[in-house]
Amino acid sequence: MSELNETIAFLGPRGTYTHEAADVFAASLGIDNPELIECTSFDDVFNCVDRGRAGFGVVGKENSLEGPVTATLDNFAFRSSAVILAETVIDIHHCLVTAKDASIDNIRTVASHPQGLAQCRRYLNEHLPSRETMIMPSTAESARLAATDATIAGIANEYAAKLHGCVVAARDIEDHLGNQTAFALIGRPGSAAQLVGKTYKTTLALFLREDKAGALNMILSEFAYAGINITMLQSRPLKQQFGDYMFFMEFSGKDIDLDVQTALSCLRLKLREVKVLGSYPVI
């Protein structure tokens, strides 16, 4: 594998769930010591891949509580030529993390990303009432801060706690225990990555010729006739004028399957563009 193909861009800083997903993908790619590029946004991750700074990138795809990641969808539809090479699902388990010599009784401030604080509100109200909260750019950054100050607790994953030398004071403190995020490994079209999995998905971006009654039903009927299971459907504005939309669709199966090829061929006759964003394994 070339030096470029051992480089993975991800949403930093180190210790985020995206970093954890990057390690999962690196192991699947057989990369023992990947060169990791920390990015400040998913837009930057796409730019790294598109401009050849990184062989691969890792971006958030969908959260079980919040839904699809719109920044990722918009890059696929309007800005990037990158494709999805694989998907992995990471369980989102928040921990209360502290410095090694900290005592819960001496904690005066709880720091984390706004989503981390919001997703652990019940625990904080019951176990750390009246503590001040501090907004951080990421959950990983809150672990780094907590490791240096015994009066501050962070809300982060165990991965970040180990990375920054924190103690895990409490595990699984999130309000909803079914929280998961799907992450996508992206690369340029024709990338050398050959990954396998037990299940496969295909993601499409669908652009209408014109907005008219029955357009969505026409799209769905092609997959219904073929017996293809649609797992996600999301509309996004075309960013041209109010009321103009395109659709993202995800379904079970590979784009080389005969029933899928038939459905796609029919759609290409009816739509302005059918863009295959990736046909990939779930690992």
Side-chain angles (χ1 to χ4, degrees):
M1 185 171 290
S2 69
E3 183 177 345
L4 176 62
N5 284 340
E6 294 188 357
T7 304
I8 303 176
F10 73 103
L11 178 64
R14 293 172 185 262
T16 61
Y17 289 102
T18 316
H19 183 191
E20 186 175 353
D23 280 351
V24 172
F25 287 129
S28 297
L29 291 165
I31 305 174
D32 294 328
N33 295 298
E35 179 184 347
L36 297 176
I37 300 177
E38 296 183 29
C39 297
T40 58
S41 68
F42 288 139
D43 288 349
D44 289 341
V45 175
F46 276 94
N47 285 337
C48 281
V49 172
D50 287 331
R51 297 177 181 178
R53 289 186 56 215
F56 304 102
V58 179
V59 295
K61 188 165 171 282
E62 184 175 7
N63 178 262
S64 60
L65 301 181
E66 306 294 336
V69 179
T70 56
T72 296
L73 296 183
D74 284 349
N75 270 285
F76 278 131
F78 308 118
R79 292 189 286 271
S80 177
S81 61
V83 295
I84 303 173
L85 305 175
E87 176 186 307
T88 193
V89 177
I90 301 293
D91 293 328
I92 307 300
H93 291 305
H94 293 310
C95 301
L96 188 75
V97 302
T98 66
K100 292 181 179 180
D101 57 348
S103 167
I104 294 297
D105 292 337
N106 293 330
I107 296 297
R108 297 198 298 266
T109 304
V110 179
S112 193
H113 186 274
Q115 285 189 352
L117 293 169
Q119 292 172 3
C120 302
R121 188 176 293 111
R122 186 181 305 126
Y123 177 89
L124 296 179
N125 289 339
E126 292 177 1
H127 298 276
L128 293 166
S130 304
R131 295 327 196 266
E132 293 183 359
T133 57
M134 181 185 299
I135 301 298
M136 302 296 293
S138 69
T139 55
E141 192 67 13
S142 76
R144 185 197 62 77
L145 178 63
T148 66
D149 191 329
T151 67
I152 296 176
I155 294 177
N157 58 6
E158 190 166 358
Y159 190 83
K162 291 179 180 178
L163 184 66
H164 293 291
C166 290
V167 171
V168 176
R171 288 179 170 81
D172 301 339
I173 66 173
E174 62 272 11
D175 295 345
H176 301 282
L177 296 180
N179 193 1
Q180 295 179 308
T181 296
F183 291 93
L185 178 71
I186 63 172
R188 288 181 298 284
S191 173
Q194 298 293 326
L195 300 173
V196 297
K198 293 181 179 179
T199 60
Y200 287 79
K201 290 182 178 180
T202 299
T203 302
L204 308 175
L206 306 174
F207 299 85
L208 304 174
R209 293 185 189 278
E210 58 180 327
D211 184 20
K212 62 181 181 179
L216 180 57
N217 183 64
M218 176 268 293
I219 293 171
L220 296 176
S221 65
E222 296 296 345
F223 292 90
Y225 294 152
I228 298 170
N229 180 37
I230 296 173
T231 56
M232 186 272 282
L233 181 65
Q234 173 82 13
S235 64
R236 290 293 294 156
L238 282 173
K239 305 182 187 300
Q240 295 174 355
Q241 63 182 13
F242 188 76
D244 286 342
Y245 290 87
M246 50 81 61
F247 296 96
F248 287 95
M249 177 180 288
E250 188 174 279
F251 56 85
S252 301
K254 301 179 182 179
D255 61 352
I256 61 173
D257 295 342
L258 181 59
D259 55 350
V260 173
Q261 287 186 346
T262 300
L264 293 180
S265 295
C266 292
L267 283 180
R268 288 189 173 103
L269 294 174
K270 299 175 180 180
L271 301 180
R272 175 166 60 86
E273 183 182 1
V274 177
K275 185 177 181 183
V276 179
L277 303 179
S279 193
Y280 49 89
V282 179
I283 60 177

